[in-house]
Amino acid sequence: GVDPAKPELNGTLPLDLFDNTEFESRPPEEWMALAVDSAGQKRYLPAKYLKRDEHGKGSWRSCHVLSYDAQRRLFAVREESVAENQVETARKKAAAAARVAAA
C-alpha cells in the first residue's frame, strides 16, 4: 500500500505501490486507449491520486491521467482543479482576443 507519511520518489509513485496489476481488468495501455475520442483526439482518463501536504498527511484528489510510460510503469497525471483553471484561463484569453478583434 501507499504510506502517506513517506516522501514521494522524485514526485512520482510507482504503480506497484497502488495495487497488484495482475488483478486489473485492463492493462495500462488499454486504459490509455480509452482516452482517445472517436475523432482520434487524445483526451484524458478521470482518476484519483494521493497528494501530501507539508506535514506528510495524504488525501485523495481528482486528477486527469494524461499518459502512461510503460518502461518506467508510471502514469502522468494533472490535478483536476489545475486542469479546470487552465481551461478557464484559455477561455478568458480567447474571449479577450475576440473582443479586441471585434473592436
Side-chain angles (χ1 to χ4, degrees):
V2 176
D3 182 352
K6 292 184 179 176
E8 295 178 11
L9 309 170
N10 299 322
T12 62
L13 293 171
L15 184 59
D16 297 7
L17 294 178
F18 290 96
D19 63 7
N20 182 333
T21 57
E22 292 177 25
F23 299 108
E24 288 294 328
S25 60
R26 295 182 165 101
E29 295 81 5
E30 202 173 306
W31 279 112
M32 292 312 304
L34 296 173
V36 178
D37 66 18
S38 60
Q41 186 74 13
K42 191 174 180 182
R43 302 293 181 189
Y44 65 86
L45 295 172
K48 299 278 185 183
Y49 80 105
L50 182 66
K51 182 167 183 165
R52 293 190 191 105
D53 63 19
E54 62 276 1
H55 305 292
K57 183 179 177 190
S59 63
W60 291 100
R61 304 269 181 104
S62 294
C63 67
H64 297 166
V65 179
L66 305 173
S67 64
Y68 176 70
D69 182 331
Q71 184 176 24
R72 295 172 48 209
R73 296 174 47 202
L74 295 172
F75 288 95
V77 300
R78 178 175 52 208
E79 188 170 354
E80 189 173 79
S81 62
V82 171
E84 289 168 0
N85 288 339
Q86 289 172 340
V87 168
E88 185 60 28
T89 299
R91 284 184 185 144
K92 287 179 181 177
K93 286 181 181 179
R99 284 192 300 272
V100 168

